[in-house]
């Protein structure tokens, strides 16, 4: 909840001591003049949920969809009406089983506002290099049927991008989320910073380095 309040004021705060995550959020906020958040790329989207999403999901393949999730760090202005201050369900199960929430209270929960979005990450490697990825897509107007600050994201060609960029290049599970399309600005900013390894989603006709052509 504290993180969400600060992010809503343009002061990004990352979860889990993620310094590059906070820096990525800051760049996203500067690129859009909007609050940002930091989310896990969490899991695929069940077929019944895709059906319930209606026409918004029909133009995407199931492999283009994923859940963006975290507990409490997304500003309330980036959540649909009905968000509220609740408790961290996972920590409650571990730390206060069978009890009313006490020390696990304080997460702001709700569904992300639908609209254009950019997933972004700037990351330092073990050998002191900078690498990054930028991907534009949309947050769908659909019920994710889960807890935390969460939404269903749709990014064209996401499955291959996830396999050959996020996993292959060992990016952390956190990504900074812009509530607008900001790829052009972020890409130019990375070039000015001298970042040479900038990944974006590629169409099927273009292979990623190391991708099996067969």
């Amino acid at each position: 909840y504290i993180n969400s309040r600060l992010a809503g004021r343009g002061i990004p705060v990352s979860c889990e001591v993620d310094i590059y995550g906070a820096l990525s959020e800051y760049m996203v906020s500067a690129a859009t003049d909007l609050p940002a958040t930091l989310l896990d790329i969490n899991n695929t989207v069940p077929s019944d949920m895709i059906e319930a999403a209606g026409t918004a999901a029909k133009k995407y393949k199931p492999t283009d969809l994923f859940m963006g999730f975290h507990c409490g760090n997304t500003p309330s202005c980036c959540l649909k009406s009905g968000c509220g201050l609740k408790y961290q369900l996972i920590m409650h199960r571990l730390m206060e089983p069978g009890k009313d929430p006490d020390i696990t209270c304080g997460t702001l929960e709700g569904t992300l506002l639908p609209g254009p979005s950019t997933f972004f990450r700037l990351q330092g490697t073990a050998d002191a290099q900078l690498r990054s990825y930028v991907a534009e897509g949309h947050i769908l107007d659909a019920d994710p049927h889960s807890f935390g600050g969460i939404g269903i994201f749709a990014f064209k060609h996401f499955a291959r991008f996830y396999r050959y960029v996020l996993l292959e290049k060992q990016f952390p599970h956190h990504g900074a989320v812009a509530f607008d399309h900001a790829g052009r600005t972020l890409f130019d900013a990375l070039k000015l910073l001298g970042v040479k390894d900038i990944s974006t989603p590629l169409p099927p006709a273009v292979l990623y380095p190391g991708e099996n052509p067969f």
Side-chain angles (χ1 to χ4, degrees):
Y1 171 70
I2 300 299
N3 288 8
S4 71
R5 289 290 296 269
L6 289 169
R9 298 176 184 179
I11 308 170
V13 182
S14 67
C15 304
E16 299 154 20
V17 205
D18 183 358
I19 303 302
Y20 278 103
L23 176 59
S24 300
E25 284 184 275
Y26 177 76
M27 292 178 67
V28 160
S29 292
T32 61
D33 283 331
L34 295 170
T37 192
L38 193 76
L39 299 179
D40 297 358
I41 296 174
N42 212 42
N43 53 265
T44 54
V45 181
S47 56
D48 60 337
M49 204 174 290
I50 296 173
E51 287 295 321
T55 56
K58 292 288 192 290
K59 57 184 177 181
Y60 297 99
K61 296 178 180 179
T63 52
D64 292 336
L65 307 180
F66 66 93
M67 296 280 197
F69 161 89
H70 221 298
C71 292
N73 61 328
T74 301
S76 59
C77 60
C78 301
L79 300 172
K80 297 174 76 172
S81 61
C83 66
L85 191 62
K86 299 184 182 179
Y87 63 94
Q88 218 285 3
L89 181 61
I90 299 170
M91 292 176 66
H92 179 255
R93 289 171 180 164
L94 295 173
M95 300 171 68
E96 301 176 296
K99 301 178 182 177
D100 290 335
D102 181 16
I103 60 173
T104 55
C105 286
T107 59
L108 182 65
E109 302 206 356
T111 303
L112 303 180
L113 285 171
S117 179
T118 305
F119 240 88
F120 170 71
R121 181 84 193 189
L122 177 65
Q123 183 65 30
T125 65
D127 58 350
Q129 302 297 313
L130 287 175
R131 62 174 47 144
S132 184
Y133 67 77
V134 187
E136 289 186 342
H138 286 82
I139 303 169
L140 299 184
D141 190 6
D143 187 352
H145 294 286
S146 192
F147 65 97
I150 188 168
I152 298 176
F153 287 77
F155 284 70
K156 289 285 189 181
H157 318 304
F158 179 75
R160 291 173 58 245
F161 179 69
Y162 184 76
R163 166 64 182 84
Y164 291 103
V165 174
L166 275 68
L167 296 183
E168 189 79 20
K169 297 186 177 184
Q170 301 179 354
F171 279 102
H173 64 293
H174 284 163
V177 177
F179 291 87
D180 200 356
H181 285 158
R184 184 182 183 91
T185 301
L186 290 168
F187 189 90
D188 284 347
L190 292 168
K191 297 290 283 187
L192 288 170
L193 290 171
V195 180
K196 295 181 172 59
D197 187 346
I198 308 171
S199 298
T200 59
L202 299 177
V206 182
L207 296 180
Y208 290 96
E211 184 175 3
N212 191 330
F214 301 99

